[in-house]
Amino acid sequence: MNSDLSGYRKSYEKGALLEGELPNDPLDLFTKWFAEVDNTEGVEEVNAMTIATIGTDGFPKNRVVLLKHYDNKGFVFYTNYNSEKGKAILNNPHVCISFFWPNLERQIIIKGMANKQSEELSTTYFHSRPRESQLGAWASDQSTEINSREILTKNLIALKNQYKDKEIPKPPHWGGFVIIPETIEFWQGRPNRLHDRMFYKKNTNNNWIHKRLAP
């Protein structure tokens, strides 16, 4: 099979990112862009992000997860710590997350270190989830091989009966990772493939500095 995609082309013309518009703190720009994308039709889950990890087999792997919180301490998502990505992060905390928002022709790429979030914060978030999602965290031994989907269904039914009219405890193997950013790159599509790329990095005084990169 040979599929020639060379004719797939698009001109990016929905915005610009100029030096005079850059705040000192990249989190301010992230917040601005996030709100603008969220208020523009075209993206159903604005908080969907791709996370890249280095697996225990030495290979990189990407997958989409959901950002659930961010502040000046970092970017938080939740997972099963025993999953493939959980084990990869615990073995090598260097990760990269990226957001692609085609409705405004924007990307954000963030490299940093991922650390486990506190049990207290993970437990608080766990109990804010729908009850079915709480049960799902127990029902699936994430990333392990199973013979059929019926196993998950049976597990879920058994758990519903076990915790009927009871609080569901947070699994000890489930919780949040907070990604502490070391670099943040903002990418705005421009015509003629001459895109705007603004790159933030912390200096030795732990202050953010930025520069423009060639597209």
Side-chain angles (χ1 to χ4, degrees):
M1 178 181 290
N2 180 19
S3 296
D4 183 4
L5 306 179
S6 60
Y8 279 51
R9 300 188 184 281
K10 177 182 178 180
S11 179
Y12 297 94
E13 301 178 353
K14 292 186 177 180
L17 184 58
L18 306 176
E19 282 81 354
E21 302 171 353
L22 298 178
N24 293 327
D25 189 336
L27 191 65
D28 293 337
L29 184 55
F30 180 92
T31 300
K32 179 177 181 291
W33 273 24
F34 192 97
E36 289 174 350
V37 172
D38 198 28
N39 291 324
T40 305
E41 292 185 0
V43 174
E44 291 189 3
E45 290 185 300
V46 65
N47 62 323
M49 64 184 189
T50 299
I51 181 167
T53 60
I54 301 297
T56 54
D57 59 0
F59 282 87
K61 184 174 181 179
N62 299 337
R63 77 284 280 165
V64 175
V65 298
L66 297 178
L67 177 68
K68 288 300 181 178
H69 179 80
Y70 71 91
D71 55 26
N72 57 7
K73 296 179 182 178
F75 299 80
V76 178
F77 76 98
Y78 294 86
T79 190
N80 185 319
Y81 292 137
N82 293 332
S83 67
E84 183 181 18
K85 64 178 170 298
K87 290 178 180 178
I89 293 171
L90 293 173
N91 182 65
N92 184 344
H94 295 83
V95 301
C96 180
I97 56 175
S98 62
F99 298 83
F100 177 49
W101 295 318
N103 62 337
L104 292 181
E105 301 170 352
R106 292 173 175 174
Q107 296 184 69
I108 300 177
I109 303 168
I110 301 168
K111 291 194 294 184
M113 301 286 286
N115 298 317
K116 273 188 177 182
Q117 189 171 237
S118 72
E119 277 291 296
E120 180 182 3
L121 290 175
S122 291
T123 299
T124 298
Y125 173 73
F126 180 81
H127 289 301
S128 75
R129 305 174 85 207
R131 189 171 178 85
E132 291 76 12
S133 296
Q134 295 181 40
L135 292 171
W138 282 103
S140 174
D141 190 7
Q142 192 174 348
S143 298
T144 61
E145 181 179 356
I146 56 175
N147 293 324
S148 68
R149 183 173 180 82
E150 283 67 30
I151 293 174
L152 299 177
T153 303
K154 290 179 180 179
N155 288 346
L156 186 61
I157 292 172
L159 287 162
K160 284 183 177 179
N161 292 330
Q162 178 180 350
Y163 291 109
K164 185 178 180 180
D165 301 325
K166 298 179 183 178
E167 181 179 85
I168 303 167
K170 182 189 79 65
H173 55 267
W174 189 97
F177 280 111
V178 55
I179 299 166
I180 304 168
E182 296 188 4
T183 67
I184 303 180
E185 178 182 336
F186 296 86
W187 183 99
Q188 175 67 61
R190 296 296 299 273
N192 306 314
R193 295 296 188 267
L194 298 179
H195 312 303
D196 290 328
R197 294 175 61 193
M198 298 298 183
F199 182 82
Y200 283 82
K201 184 176 183 178
K202 285 192 173 180
N203 62 17
T204 54
N205 295 322
N206 207 35
N207 295 318
W208 289 103
I209 56 175
H210 58 75
K211 56 187 176 182
R212 176 182 286 272
L213 301 181

